[in-house]
Amino acid sequence: MIKIKEILLTLKSAELIGNDEALISDVIQLDENNTRPDIICWCNDKNIHKLSSCVAGTIICSSKARELTLSKNCNFIILENPRKAFSKVLKEFFEPKEIQNYISPKASIHESVKIGSNVFIGDFTVIEKDCVIGNNSRISYNTVIHQKTIIGSSVKIGSNNTIGGVGFGYEKDEEGNYEVLPHIGNVEIMDNVEIGNNTCIDRAVLGSTLIHKNVKIDNLVHVAHGVIIGENSLIIANAMLGGSTVIGKNVWVAPSVSIINKGIVEDDSLVGMGAVVVKPVKTKTIVAGNPAKFLKDI
């Protein structure tokens, strides 16, 4: 059980309407029918009107709650960004602590691999020769890390991923049959990158496929050979980045986006859901559609 006053210590500039000695034991979604006093949830401004109907529990919300008639049986933690605050509360008090500093005996790791400190490697993960795994990184279950892949510090990689495999590059021989183009490059993943599950990142033909710092890649994403993703960009589920595509910094690539080989998406841009990008996307713009077209500046 956690007292509300303990939660308030972790939230800067938070105000409380209610009892800071109240106890919290569980987390739920906002529910107007909740009668439990020991739960905590959050409310966005779109649903702020629902707070008038709430009769129990603790709710993290914005200052707009002050405009409503609120139950005295509820506690309200008021601050500027309720969603961010709720996320912090989950991480601090409710998120299960991940096991670190553990390498499964069921993992297959080549003797040449260099592994930093406080690393987790899960069951049935395969790490081929000449790879590097940085400090505090985590590779979950059934993931394959192919040779010469470099993984930085504090990187999180989920389950069932293939990183550093051969990309889809072919040339015809004298008889017109397709032969795979040798891929002798690698993948480099820099610090604080997070990769979900069932994602494929191919190694470069020459040089490196580069995933820069703080990039977040969702489930079921395909990153082809030679792609570069700039710092702090988000690549969401089912996106496909064609070979040698360059994604800038702070870019949002929405679900099911397809980007042509050698595509360019410049810094601070947003590519809308399902877009098919066949032309360069300029800095601080929003594009969407098939083919993707300019919608507006950011």
Side-chain angles (χ1 to χ4, degrees), residues 144-156:
V144 178
I145 310 294
H146 286 281
Q147 61 186 11
K148 299 195 296 183
T149 297
I150 298 172
I151 295 173
S153 298
S154 301
V155 172
K156 292 185 177 181

Side-chain angles (χ1 to χ4, degrees), residues 248-279:
K249 299 177 181 178
N250 303 307
V251 170
W252 176 287
V253 176
S256 300
V257 166
S258 295
I259 301 179
I260 194 172
N261 289 2
K262 300 183 180 179
I264 297 173
V265 181
E266 296 181 358
D267 297 350
D268 303 302
S269 295
L270 187 154
V271 182
M273 183 179 291
V276 178
V277 178
V278 296
K279 294 182 179 180

Side-chain angles (χ1 to χ4, degrees), residues 102-105 107 109 115 119-123 125-127 133 137-141:
Y102 172 78
I103 298 175
S104 171
I109 303 171
I115 300 176
V119 169
F120 177 93
I121 299 175
D123 295 349
T125 283
V126 176
I127 304 178
I133 313 295
S137 288
R138 180 180 181 86
I139 304 172
S140 198
Y141 309 98

Side-chain angles (χ1 to χ4, degrees), residues 42-205:
W42 81 285
C43 179
N44 59 25
D45 285 349
K46 181 179 179 180
N47 294 313
I48 201 78
H49 62 280
K50 294 182 179 180
L51 298 188
S52 296
S53 303
C54 293
V55 297
T58 297
I59 304 166
I60 300 174
C61 55
S62 77
S63 59
K64 289 187 176 183
R66 296 185 182 277
E67 302 171 8
L68 305 171
T69 301
L70 302 174
S71 170
K72 293 182 179 180
N73 294 323
C74 293
N75 302 297
F76 298 91
I77 298 174
I78 295 176
L79 28 63
E80 184 176 344
N81 190 332
R83 185 172 187 265
K84 183 177 180 180
F86 186 65
S87 175
K88 190 170 184 178
V89 170
L90 288 180
K91 289 178 181 179
E92 185 71 24
F93 298 103
F94 296 98
E95 185 177 35
K97 300 303 180 184
E98 293 180 335
I99 299 171
Q100 287 294 116
N101 197 28
Y102 172 78
I103 298 175
S104 171
K106 297 178 182 179
S108 177
I109 303 171
H110 193 273
E111 60 184 9
S112 65
V113 174
K114 296 178 181 178
I115 300 176
S117 61
N118 199 35
V119 169
F120 177 93
I121 299 175
D123 295 349
F124 308 114
T125 283
V126 176
I127 304 178
E128 294 184 343
K129 65 180 181 179
D130 299 328
C131 291
V132 177
I133 313 295
N135 298 335
N136 304 307
S137 288
R138 180 180 181 86
I139 304 172
S140 198
Y141 309 98
N142 298 302
T143 282
V144 178
I145 310 294
H146 286 281
Q147 61 186 11
K148 299 195 296 183
T149 297
I150 298 172
I151 295 173
S153 298
S154 301
V155 172
K156 292 185 177 181
I157 299 174
S159 297
N160 305 308
N161 295 296
T162 301
I163 297 174
V166 174
F168 195 81
Y170 291 86
E171 289 291 335
K172 287 184 178 180
D173 63 15
E174 293 79 4
E175 297 178 354
N177 297 316
Y178 286 104
E179 291 184 343
V180 68
L181 184 68
H183 289 61
I184 61 174
N186 73 338
V187 173
E188 184 171 354
I189 298 171
M190 300 181 189
D191 298 349
N192 299 307
V193 169
E194 296 184 15
I195 299 169
N197 305 308
N198 298 294
T199 281
C200 179
I201 301 175
D202 296 336
R203 68 176 179 258
V205 174

